[in-house]
Amino acid sequence: MFQKILIANRGEIALRVLRACKELGIQTVVVHSTADSDAMHVRLADESVCIGPPPSRESYLNIHQIVAACEITGADAVHPGYGFLSENAKFADILAAHNITFIGPSGDHIRIMGDKIEAKRTAKRLGIPVVPGSDGAISDDKEAKRVAAEIGYPVIIKASAGGGGRGMKVAHTEADLEVALQTAKSEAGAAFGDDAVYIEKYLEKPRHIEVQVFGDGAGRGVHFGERDCSLQRRHQKVWEEANSPALNAEERSRIGDICARAIADLGYSGAGTIEFLYENGEFYFIEMNTRLQVEHPVTEAITGIDLVHEQIRVASGGGLSVRQEDIKFNGHAIECRINAEDPRTFAPSPGTITHFHTPGGLGIRVDSGVYSGYKIPPYYDSLIGKLIVHGRNRVECMMRLRRALDEFVVDGIKTTLPLFRDLVGNPDIANGDYDIHWLEKYLAKGE
Ligand code: ADP
């Protein structure tokens, strides 16, 4: 087991990882920018190292400084959290070259999944169902038209290097295709320095369903069921739940088994999420994330398994603590992402939190790095906390969520709490009847 882990992140996820390390009796080091000297993860860690000024590029993304912090403190492993360097293959390689363990998959696996064309090709080879589309990058209009005619309109053009929903364009007819292709290419070139794009069938009313997987690096793979993350705004997840209200037990184990087998065949190590669009009973792979996800606590709530403990065990060579048959799904869990944003316009709302009171009681978990008197710096993303609620079934979970949202107090700044108070009372949400466009349409109506 590791002696000392350096946590290369901030906010709620830094605290989340810190807690797991403490439980396992591992010493902790955190790094932070000058804007985060008062952050909770800095206060609670055994050691902290200031690695630079507020902009992420100069601190949380500064590989040089982070490796130096490991050398100075004698950390033998790094947990990257999510975002920042968590899916940076070069970072994983550099740590390996310094004999520091990256708590995550190999640089090569990160690289494969970071390139969407390569990821899709790999998924297909491993027997994972994919969205019908071009075999690889599209080189010209002629090829685009041929592929689009074959799979049928509407189609979506996506950037191979894509992320955050950028570089994606939908074409409803052949007349739209040329423009869509050109726009997607130039957006991708500008955003990612790589203008390779591919085409796939555009699914009109899918749900976003993702499978949590783990590989032990020694050829074994397991799945921890799925999460439904269909409630999105601008391709950003807002509300996540496990299990998906749309799947039955047979579908769950069918897609779960396919994913677990793929992870085993890949020789993958650590946590991963295989993301699908789901429509009319069919799953279509869209991408794989090679890290811990923001929404992992809903899976923890229904399985009772600490996924960060598992990540640390696997990375240290101790293997997984569970076999597939040990993983049971109990009840239902929902996570609300609470952002420091105006609940109507979604404009960021940094500033000082004058009062912070979290709900409690059975089935309630709040993961947050903020506290009363904390000043939210304007440099980073606006997530200030996650409310995770568990119940014996979805109805009980929703009742508890409504109660917990009423109890939650965040004064001094605007937050997205009012949005969740609206959602929890909405009949479609109560029925679990929503697709990936539901939230945008609901917000556009401005009810
Ligand atoms: P990114 O990495 O940029 O987030 P993804 O491939 O994960 O890109 O897709 C992001 C979102 O775009 C999906 O959650 C979905 O809303 C939409 N999307 C992607 N591919 C398709 C498709 N083939 N049909 C319909 N919507 C899609």
Side-chain angles (χ1 to χ4, degrees):
M1 190 43 89
F2 304 120
Q3 299 294 313
K4 200 185 260 189
I5 291 178
L6 182 142
I7 301 163
N9 215 300
R10 65 181 300 283
E12 68 87 18
I13 196 61
L15 207 54
R16 163 73 190 90
V17 175
L18 193 117
R19 287 176 174 142
C21 294
K22 290 199 180 238
E23 287 171 10
L24 294 171
I26 299 168
Q27 291 287 303
T28 51
V29 184
V30 298
V31 290
H32 67 94
S33 71
T34 51
D36 277 342
S37 308
D38 291 333
M40 197 54 109
H41 73 284
V42 178
R43 292 185 176 196
L44 294 184
D46 297 308
E47 290 171 77
S48 63
V49 182
C50 180
I51 51 166
S56 311
R57 246 177 320 105
E58 297 170 53
S59 49
Y60 296 102
L61 292 172
N62 188 331
I63 295 179
H64 212 72
Q65 292 286 61
I66 294 170
V67 173
C70 289
E71 301 275 343
I72 292 165
T73 57
D76 45 8
V78 171
H79 195 300
Y82 53 67
F84 294 130
L85 295 169
S86 61
E87 290 178 293
N88 186 310
K90 193 173 118 198
F91 182 52
D93 289 345
I94 289 174
L95 289 179
H98 284 80
N99 283 325
I100 301 163
T101 305
F102 175 73
I103 302 178
S106 67
D108 287 344
H109 283 151
I110 299 175
R111 224 168 262 119
I112 290 172
M113 295 303 168
D115 173 339
K116 295 199 163 197
I117 290 178
E118 193 55 36
K120 197 171 169 183
R121 200 174 280 144
T122 306
K124 204 170 166 184
R125 179 171 60 77
L126 293 168
I128 296 174
V130 300
V131 192
S134 57
D135 271 339
I138 284 286
S139 49
D140 56 32
D141 288 355
K142 218 173 111 213
E143 190 186 357
K145 282 182 187 162
R146 184 182 55 74
V147 175
E150 234 169 74
I151 58 179
Y153 288 90
V155 298
I156 183 166
I157 303 177
K158 297 170 71 171
S160 187
R166 280 176 302 177
M168 281 193 276
K169 287 283 164 271
V170 179
H172 289 274
T173 60
E174 192 173 295
D176 300 341
L177 191 63
E178 255 173 64
V179 178
L181 190 66
Q182 280 323 313
T183 337
K185 262 183 164 319
S186 60
E187 256 184 51
F192 313 111
D194 171 3
D195 72 352
V197 296
Y198 61 106
I199 294 192
E200 59 189 32
K201 176 91 188 145
Y202 179 70
L203 302 167
E204 306 209 51
K205 286 185 175 167
R207 295 180 80 110
H208 174 114
I209 295 181
E210 57 185 36
V211 179
Q212 175 71 56
V213 289
F214 250 93
D216 69 354
R220 212 155 61 91
V222 296
H223 75 87
F224 287 77
E226 84 286 2
R227 294 181 286 260
D228 195 318
C229 314
S230 302
L231 288 175
Q232 302 182 358
R233 180 182 167 271
R234 301 205 171 149
H235 302 303
Q236 301 290 319
K237 297 162 189 167
V238 169
W239 158 305
E240 301 103 343
E241 46 185 309
N243 304 311
S244 167
L247 293 197
N248 58 37
E250 186 275 321
E251 287 175 297
R252 173 165 309 115
S253 70
R254 177 166 57 88
I255 194 67
D257 289 345
I258 290 173
C259 291
R261 204 170 329 116
I263 285 306
D265 290 349
L266 199 59
Y268 187 83
S269 175
T273 298
I274 306 186
E275 297 193 337
F276 295 94
L277 295 176
Y278 171 84
E279 196 173 70
N280 300 328
E282 300 290 336
F283 289 91
Y284 302 95
F285 170 87
I286 46 172
E287 67 170 341
M288 176 169 176
N289 292 317
T290 51
R291 56 169 163 83
L292 190 70
Q293 305 263 111
V294 176
E295 59 273 23
H296 76 279
V298 292
T299 302
E300 295 184 324
I302 63 160
T303 59
I305 297 163
D306 186 309
L307 297 181
V308 179
H309 282 191
E310 295 302 318
Q311 285 189 295
I312 295 171
R313 278 184 63 112
V314 167
S316 71
L320 287 162
S321 75
V322 284
R323 292 162 305 173
Q324 190 66 57
E325 56 269 34
D326 302 324
I327 303 168
K328 303 271 186 274
F329 306 110
N330 293 310
H332 195 89
I334 295 175
E335 173 180 280
C336 299
R337 295 193 190 195
I338 299 158
N339 288 347
E341 287 171 357
D342 183 301
R344 293 235 154 257
T345 62
F346 297 95
S349 177
T352 301
I353 297 178
T354 52
H355 191 65
F356 189 70
H357 173 81
T358 57
L362 179 65
I364 306 289
R365 167 175 173 182
V366 177
D367 276 20
S368 172
V370 310
Y371 50 85
S372 292
Y374 177 74
K375 188 162 185 269
I376 302 166
Y379 311 103
Y380 311 106
D381 76 31
S382 56
L383 183 75
I384 56 160
K386 308 185 301 203
L387 169 63
I388 304 104
V389 176
H390 181 246
R392 284 176 301 175
N393 50 51
R394 193 166 186 271
V395 172
E396 187 178 271
C397 184
M398 291 283 282
M399 281 163 45
R400 187 165 284 154
L401 175 59
R402 184 194 298 254
R403 186 272 291 171
L405 286 164
D406 283 345
E407 235 174 276
F408 215 133
V409 179
V410 185
D411 287 340
I413 56 156
K414 289 180 182 166
T415 74
T416 48
L417 277 167
L419 169 66
F420 295 111
R421 293 186 186 123
D422 287 346
L423 290 179
V424 80
N426 184 282
D428 287 349
I429 302 297
N431 294 329
D433 184 15
Y434 53 81
D435 61 31
I436 59 168
H437 305 298
W438 188 94
L439 185 59
E440 296 271 9
K441 285 189 205 146
Y442 172 82
L443 293 170
K445 276 188 283 182
E447 278 171 5

